[in-house]
C-alpha cells in the first residue's frame, strides 16, 4: 500500500477482477511475476502482519522478496483500522440496528426445561435466519469462538483460558468456552453475547435475562453495570484517554464493594470495552495500560459485567464516536428481562 498512490490488492482464489479491482493469484509465488508484468518495481520495504500468520507462511512470503526489508506491521494496520471510513460506519450502523432488532425477539425463544445449549442454539438460529453471516472473527492466536456465548447460572462465572470477561466451561475441554449443557434453573441469570455479522463487520451486544424470576442482588448488580455504562459513555468523547474511561468503571465497582466480581470472578478480564470492525476485538481497548485517546469515527463496544451469585449480569452495546461523543448503534435498553414460558 503506497503512501499516496492507490493500493494494488492481491487475493488468492477467483473473483471477477474487473469488478473489484483485485489482482487474483493462485498462490503467493505468482506475485513477483505479476508485479513485473504490471511494470511495478519490487518493493524495498514490506510490512507484514506477523500476528495474523504462522511462521511457515511468514518464511514463505519472505522468500519471494529476499532483497526487501521486512517490518512488523500488525500494530500499524490495527491502528489504521480503528478509525472507520464512512462506508464502514454505514455498514456497522446498519448491522447494529439489525442486531438490536433481533435481540428484542430473544425472550420469545425461551421454553421451560431448556438447557443453556438449547437456548444458545435458538438465539444463533435466529441471528442466522435474520441475515447474520455467522462468522465471528477474533484477533489473537487460536482464540476460537463460534458466534458468541450464552452463559447461564454458575457456568456464566466459570473462567475460560480465552481473553473474555465471562467465559463458561463449554461442552468439552477441547473447546473451553460457552454453554455447558446444563438445564436452565429458576432464578438463573443469563448473559447472551452473540455477535452480528451482516456484511463482514461485527457489532457486539449483550443483554441479561433471568429464568422465571430475578433476585434483588442480581437487580442491584445490573443497576451498577448500567450506571457504569452511562458514565463511561458520557466520558467517551474524542480526546478522552481509554485508560481514564476504564478507571471510571473500576472506581464505581470499588464504591459499591463489587470489585472482586467485576469482569469475572476467578479470572477477571482487565478491560471493559474494545473496538469492533472486521474483528470483534479491535483497537482501541478500554483498559488501564492503553493510554491512548479515543478518536472520532471509532466504533467501540462498552461491556461492564459481573459474575453474580445467580450467574452473570451486565450489559454491552456498540457505540459510534462522533465529534460530540458516543452514539449507541445497537438499540435497546439493558435491564434484566425475566423469561417466562
Amino acid at each position: 500500500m503506497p503512501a499516496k498512490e492507490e493500493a494494488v490488492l492481491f487475493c488468492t482464489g477467483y473473483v471477477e477482477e474487473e469488478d473489484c479491482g483485485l489482482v487474483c493469484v493462485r498462490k503467493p509465488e505468482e506475485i513477483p511475476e505479476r508485479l513485473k508484468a504490471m511494470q511495478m518495481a519490487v518493493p524495498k520495504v514490506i510490512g507484514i502482519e506477523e500476528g495474523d500468520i504462522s511462521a511457515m507462511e511468514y518464511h514463505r512470503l519472505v522468500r519471494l522478496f529476499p532483497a526487501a526489508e521486512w517490518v512488523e506491521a500488525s500494530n500499524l494496520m490495527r491502528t489504521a483500522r480503528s478509525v472507520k471510513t464512512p462506508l464502514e460506519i454505514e455498514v456497522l450502523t446498519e448491522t447494529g440496528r439489525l442486531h438490536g432488532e433481533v435481540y428484542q425477539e430473544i425472550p420469545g425463544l425461551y421454553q421451560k426445561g431448556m438447557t443453556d445449549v438449547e437456548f444458545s442454539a435458538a438465539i444463533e438460529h435466529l441471528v442466522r435466519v435474520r441475515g447474520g453471516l455467522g462468522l465471528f472473527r477474533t484477533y489473537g492466536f487460536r482464540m476460537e469462538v463460534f458466534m458468541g456465548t450464552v452463559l447461564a447460572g454458575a457456568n456464566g462465572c466459570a473462567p475460560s483460558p480465552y481473553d473474555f470477561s465471562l467465559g463458561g466451561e463449554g461442552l468439552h475441554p477441547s473447546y473451553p468456552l460457552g454453554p455447558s449443557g446444563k438445564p436452565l434453573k429458576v432464578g438463573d441469570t443469563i448473559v447472551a453475547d452473540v455477535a452480528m455479522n451482516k456484511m463482514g463487520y461485527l457489532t457486539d451486544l449483550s443483554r441479561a435475562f433471568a429464568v422465571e424470576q430475578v433476585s434483588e442482588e442480581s437487580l442491584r448488580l445490573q443497576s451498577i453495570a448500567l450506571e457504569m455504562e452511562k458514565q463511561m459513555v458520557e466520558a467517551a468523547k474524542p480526546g478522552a484517554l481509554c485508560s481514564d474511561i476504564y478507571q471510571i468503571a473500576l472506581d464505581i465497582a470499588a464504591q459499591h464493594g463489587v470489585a472482586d466480581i467485576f469482569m469475572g470472578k476467578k479470572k477477571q478480564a482487565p478491560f471493559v470495552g474494545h473496538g469492533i470492525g472486521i474483528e470483534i476485538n479491535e483497537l482501541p481497548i478500554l483498559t488501564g495500560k492503553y493510554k491512548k485517546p479515543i478518536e472520532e469515527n471509532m466504533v467501540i463496544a462498552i461491556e461492564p459485567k459481573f459474575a453474580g451469585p445467580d450467574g452473570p449480569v451486565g450489559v454491552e452495546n456498540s457505540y459510534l464516536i462522533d465529534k460530540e461523543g458516543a452514539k449507541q448503534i445497537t438499540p435497546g435498553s439493558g435491564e434484566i428481562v425475566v423469561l417466562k414460558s
Side-chain angles (χ1 to χ4, degrees):
M1 296 189 296
K4 297 181 180 179
E5 295 82 10
E6 287 293 319
V8 178
L9 305 176
F10 289 86
C11 76
T12 55
Y14 178 78
V15 294
E16 297 291 343
E17 295 186 29
E18 62 272 15
D19 293 337
C20 61
L22 297 175
V23 179
C24 297
V25 294
R26 187 175 61 85
K27 55 185 179 179
E29 283 75 11
E30 296 175 15
I31 293 176
E33 285 300 319
R34 294 297 292 268
L35 286 175
K36 184 177 179 181
M38 298 164 66
Q39 297 184 330
M40 295 186 66
V42 173
K44 295 180 180 179
V45 179
I46 302 175
I48 187 167
E49 292 182 80
E50 295 179 11
D52 284 339
I53 64 172
S54 66
M56 182 177 70
E57 188 70 12
Y58 172 84
H59 291 296
R60 179 184 185 185
L61 294 173
V62 167
R63 285 195 295 269
L64 300 181
F65 302 98
E69 176 188 358
W70 291 78
V71 297
E72 209 289 308
S74 294
N75 286 335
L76 176 66
M77 293 300 295
R78 294 192 78 205
T79 300
R81 287 198 296 265
S82 68
V83 178
K84 300 331 187 208
T85 66
L87 176 59
E88 289 176 308
I89 291 172
E90 180 181 341
V91 170
L92 283 161
T93 301
E94 171 59 20
T95 302
R97 181 196 63 78
L98 177 61
H99 206 170
E101 286 184 1
V102 169
Y103 260 56
Q104 292 295 317
E105 301 178 36
I106 288 178
L109 302 175
Y110 169 72
Q111 296 179 18
K112 191 172 183 178
M114 269 184 158
T115 66
D116 56 0
V117 170
E118 290 169 334
F119 190 50
S120 178
I123 296 172
E124 293 156 6
H125 177 263
L126 176 63
V127 170
R128 292 287 284 123
V129 299
R130 290 295 303 275
L133 302 181
L135 180 61
F136 190 110
R137 294 192 183 97
T138 61
Y139 178 81
F141 184 64
R142 288 186 177 172
M143 199 160 78
E144 302 150 320
V145 187
F146 183 48
M147 289 174 62
T149 58
V150 176
L151 303 173
N155 181 59
C157 306
S160 170
Y162 298 145
D163 192 14
F164 285 85
S165 56
L166 301 170
E169 64 184 25
L171 291 169
H172 190 268
S174 64
Y175 182 53
L177 184 75
S180 62
K182 295 181 176 65
L184 300 177
K185 303 194 308 294
V186 173
D188 278 353
T189 55
I190 305 169
V191 168
D193 185 0
V194 177
M196 173 64 75
N197 181 346
K198 186 180 179 185
M199 293 173 277
Y201 284 77
L202 294 134
T203 50
D204 217 353
L205 172 62
S206 297
R207 292 289 182 264
F209 304 90
V211 180
E212 305 288 345
Q213 63 187 37
V214 58
S215 71
E216 289 299 321
E217 180 60 12
S218 292
L219 290 172
R220 184 181 80 91
L221 291 172
Q222 187 71 6
S223 69
I224 296 171
L226 292 173
E227 179 61 24
M228 282 182 178
E229 182 190 34
K230 180 176 180 292
Q231 291 197 29
M232 287 187 288
V233 168
E234 290 174 351
K237 293 179 170 59
L241 297 184
C242 293
S243 54
D244 289 346
I245 297 173
Y246 177 62
Q247 189 61 46
I248 290 172
L250 294 185
D251 290 344
I252 293 174
Q255 289 165 12
H256 289 276
V258 291
D260 60 328
I261 57 171
F262 178 53
M263 302 303 283
K265 190 173 183 180
K266 294 181 180 179
K267 176 189 174 186
Q268 292 177 283
F271 64 89
V272 75
H274 51 85
I276 53 176
I278 59 174
E279 295 173 326
I280 200 67
N281 53 342
E282 295 192 347
L283 297 179
I285 307 170
L286 302 185
T287 186
K289 294 182 179 180
Y290 198 83
K291 301 183 183 300
K292 295 184 179 181
I294 287 177
E295 298 180 45
E296 186 177 349
N297 295 331
M298 286 181 168
V299 180
I300 299 173
I302 295 177
E303 54 168 325
K305 295 172 181 174
F306 292 97
D310 303 308
V313 295
V315 64
E316 181 174 23
N317 281 299
S318 298
Y319 291 90
L320 167 65
I321 307 300
D322 62 20
K323 61 181 62 178
E324 296 178 354
K327 175 183 177 183
Q328 184 176 333
I329 62 172
T330 45
S333 62
E335 292 79 13
I336 296 177
V337 174
V338 177
L339 302 173
K340 299 284 188 178
S341 56

